[in-house]
Amino acid sequence: MRSLTIKSSFGSYEVSFIETTTGIVSQIKDNIIIIDENVYHFYKNDFIDIDEINLIKINCIEDNKTLDGVKKIITELVERRTKINSKISIIGGGIIQDLAGFAASIYCRGLEYTLIPTTLLSQCDSCIGGKTSINHDGVKNIVGTFYPPKKIYICTDFLKTLKIEDLRSGYGEIIKFYLLQHKEDEFIKNQKNVNQLVYESLNYKANIIEIDEFDKKDRKFLNFGHTLGHALEITSNYQIPHGTAVLFGIAIANRVSKNLGMLSLQKQEKIEELISNYINHQKIKKRWFNFETLHEIIKLDKKNTGYINMVLLTNDGRQLFEMKSLSVIEQSIKEVYETFRLRN
C-alpha cells in the first residue's frame, strides 16, 4: 500500500492509498460520517452496515459553502451528542472538505477527523495542507482555518463515477504542479496513469507545505493560475469548474509572462497547446472575461495587497510578481478569450 507522511505543526498525518472503496469504509465504520449526498447515492451499498444515525448527508453545492452551511453541520453534531473525543470522517470533494473541515476545526475547539477525498481535484491537491475555507457575501474562501485531518485515505476507484468535466477539472491542478516544476513533458508521458499523477502531485505539494505551512512564502507559488481562476469562477457563476478556471488563469498568466518578456513565445505556445486539451470543451462568454469585472473581484481576494499578485513562469523558473501595471493583464485576458472562444 502506497503512502505519504505529511509533516505539520499540528502533528504529522499519513496519506494512505487504498485499493477499494469498501476497504476504506471498513476503516471508519465506527465514526460519525459526514458525506456528500451524491457520493452516498453512488456508493450506498458500501455503507449498508453503518448505523443511519452516524451518517450526515450534505448537499455539496457552492451556495452551501457558507456560515449557514457550517451551522447546519454543527447542529447535526450537537443532535448526535458529539463530544471532544468523538471521531468523525469526511467523505467527498473540495466543498465538503472545506465545509465540514471548518466545522470540525471550531466544534469543541477542534474535532479529530479522517478525510476521504472522492474527486480528482481533492485527491491530487486540496486533501493535504490543512486549509478549510468558506465563502461569505459572494467573496470566495474569505473565512477559514488551518486544520489538517489526522488521516487521509485515497481510493481512485471513486473517480469512476465522476462526470467528465469534473475529471478535467482535477487535471487542472495536476497540470499546475507539473508546470511549476517545468515538467510538462513528464505530465504528457504519464497523463493516463491517474494513481501516479495523484501521488506525484501530493508529493510535490507536501515538499512545499512542509517548508511553508501557513502561506508566507513558498506555498504562494501553489496559487499559480488561481488569482484570475477564482475570479472567472465567480463571473461565470461557477459554470467554469475550479480546475478548468485555474487552467484559464494559467493561460492568462503565461500570456502576461510572454508579454513581459519573461517567457519565450515557444514555451508559452507549448504550454497553451497542452492546456487546450483540457479546456477546449468549456463554453465561455465574453462578459466572463471582462477585465473591469474581474479586477473588482480580485480586489476582494484574501491574497490582495493593493496590487494584483500573480505567480508567473519564466523560461527556467517561476516568480511571485506584484502587477503594478494593469494594461498587460487586460491585454492577456483579451488574447486568451479570443484564442479559446471559437474552440468550444
Side-chain angles (χ1 to χ4, degrees):
M1 182 175 67
R2 219 171 192 184
S3 64
L4 286 168
T5 299
I6 314 299
K7 296 175 184 175
S8 166
S9 60
F10 294 90
S12 296
Y13 54 99
E14 189 173 56
V15 181
S16 296
F17 287 74
I18 307 293
E19 290 186 0
T20 65
T21 57
T22 52
I24 287 179
V25 175
S26 68
Q27 302 283 338
I28 60 168
K29 58 185 175 61
D30 297 323
N31 294 6
I32 295 171
I33 297 171
I34 306 174
I35 186 168
D36 181 330
E37 62 183 24
N38 284 327
V39 176
Y40 180 77
H41 169 75
F42 283 114
Y43 297 95
K44 59 185 174 184
N45 287 341
D46 291 350
F47 296 91
I48 199 164
D49 294 326
I50 305 293
D51 192 331
E52 186 70 22
I53 193 64
N54 288 334
L55 287 170
I56 301 173
K57 300 164 201 166
I58 303 296
N59 179 19
C60 290
I61 59 173
E62 193 74 26
D63 286 347
N64 290 341
K65 204 178 85 169
T66 62
L67 288 168
D68 284 339
V70 173
K71 182 180 177 181
K72 288 177 182 177
I73 290 177
I74 290 174
T75 299
E76 294 273 9
L77 292 172
V78 170
E79 288 176 352
R80 287 163 174 78
R81 301 178 184 269
T82 307
K83 301 292 191 295
I84 184 64
N85 61 344
S86 299
K87 300 290 194 300
I88 67 171
S89 294
I90 299 170
I91 306 178
I95 290 177
I96 200 166
Q97 175 187 308
D98 274 336
L99 192 57
F102 183 80
S105 75
I106 61 174
Y107 186 91
C108 291
R109 298 192 181 93
L111 284 179
E112 196 174 290
Y113 73 100
T114 301
L115 182 62
I116 298 95
T118 61
T119 64
L120 184 54
L121 201 61
S122 57
Q123 289 186 359
C124 76
D125 179 23
S126 61
C127 67
I128 67 169
K131 286 184 178 180
T132 77
S133 305
I134 57 173
N135 308 330
H136 183 67
D137 281 353
V139 183
K140 187 174 174 66
N141 295 342
I142 196 65
V143 181
T145 58
F146 285 95
Y147 194 70
K150 290 295 181 183
K151 179 79 177 177
I152 299 170
Y153 293 112
I154 290 178
C155 177
T156 53
D157 275 1
F158 279 118
L159 306 182
K160 293 176 182 177
T161 50
L162 287 187
K163 296 176 182 177
I164 185 64
E165 57 263 34
D166 292 325
L167 280 172
R168 287 173 178 149
S169 180
Y171 271 98
E173 291 286 3
I174 292 171
I175 290 169
K176 176 197 75 176
F177 289 127
Y178 278 85
L179 292 181
L180 284 169
Q181 302 171 82
H182 289 268
K183 290 184 176 181
E184 53 269 23
D185 290 337
E186 187 174 324
F187 169 80
I188 293 168
K189 182 177 71 174
N190 293 324
Q191 60 186 310
K192 293 186 178 179
N193 187 343
V194 177
N195 272 294
Q196 183 68 18
L197 292 176
V198 170
Y199 181 85
E200 293 294 341
S201 295
L202 290 178
N203 191 45
Y204 174 71
K205 182 176 180 178
N207 290 331
I208 298 287
I209 62 178
E210 287 177 358
I211 296 169
D212 177 22
E213 185 171 13
F214 299 113
D215 247 351
K216 301 302 180 185
K217 189 178 178 182
D218 289 42
R219 189 168 179 171
K220 292 182 178 180
F221 285 113
L222 301 182
N223 290 320
F224 183 39
H226 283 62
T227 299
L228 283 153
H230 279 160
L232 284 167
E233 284 184 82
I234 294 170
T235 58
S236 70
N237 195 26
Y238 299 98
Q239 290 183 59
I240 303 180
H242 174 74
T244 306
V246 167
L247 287 179
F248 277 111
I250 287 172
I252 293 167
N254 284 348
R255 292 280 183 144
V256 170
S257 295
K258 184 260 296 180
N259 291 336
L260 290 174
M262 298 165 59
L263 190 67
S264 70
L265 175 63
Q266 181 182 11
K267 180 92 168 176
Q268 179 264 318
E269 288 181 339
K270 179 182 179 182
I271 293 173
E272 197 163 283
E273 185 61 30
L274 166 61
I275 288 172
S276 69
N277 294 324
Y278 292 89
I279 62 177
N280 276 345
H281 67 283
Q282 178 65 51
K283 294 188 181 302
I284 57 176
K285 297 180 180 179
K286 188 173 184 178
R287 68 173 185 274
W288 298 349
F289 288 77
N290 178 272
F291 174 72
E292 286 74 20
T293 306
L294 292 168
H295 189 209
E296 288 303 312
I297 294 168
I298 291 168
K299 286 179 183 178
L300 298 173
D301 191 291
K302 62 184 178 294
K303 301 181 291 297
N304 180 45
T305 59
Y307 302 108
I308 295 181
N309 294 290
M310 297 186 74
V311 177
L312 299 178
L313 291 186
T314 63
N315 285 322
D316 56 3
R318 63 205 181 175
Q319 185 175 339
L320 291 168
F321 215 84
E322 282 190 338
M323 299 297 299
K324 298 178 182 179
S325 172
L326 301 180
S327 59
V328 67
I329 301 177
E330 184 173 11
Q331 177 60 33
S332 299
I333 291 170
K334 288 178 180 177
E335 289 175 6
V336 168
Y337 172 74
E338 291 298 328
T339 297
F340 288 98
R341 71 183 179 89
L342 297 176
R343 293 192 181 187
N344 50 63

